[in-house]
Amino acid sequence: VDLPAVGKQIDSGSLLGEVESTKSVSELYSPVTGTVVAVNTALADAPERLNEDPYGEGWICEIELSEGASLDALLEPAAYRDLIET
């Protein structure tokens, strides 16, 4: 798992990091504009947490929104579940 650096300024839609498996590399893109304020360094030793517990121990990073940044384009949890299940 390649995580962003704490303090990194990130734009919505820009590359945030990567997740590598034995067969592929998946790029991670930021859903919001802001500053990375925390990263889950435990993923370096246990990347399986991304799949096992993505809403708990598998979190990737925390981003503090930039002033004026909006969450309006993001889906609510139920809508996101519907999207990925179809």
Side-chain angles (χ1 to χ4, degrees), residues 12-76:
S12 177
S14 64
L15 187 64
L16 184 64
E18 295 179 338
V19 176
E20 186 175 342
S21 70
T22 56
K23 296 181 181 182
S24 68
V25 175
S26 298
E27 295 176 333
L28 304 171
Y29 296 94
S30 179
V32 296
T33 297
T35 303
V36 177
V37 294
V39 295
N40 187 356
T41 56
L43 293 176
D45 294 327
E48 65 276 4
R49 289 181 180 169
L50 286 169
N51 290 329
E52 293 171 356
D53 191 16
Y55 297 107
E57 296 296 316
W59 64 278
I60 296 169
C61 67
E62 293 178 11
I63 300 173
E64 182 177 296
L65 292 178
S66 294
E67 187 172 326
S70 174
L71 299 177
D72 293 340
L74 301 180
L75 296 173
E76 295 290 330

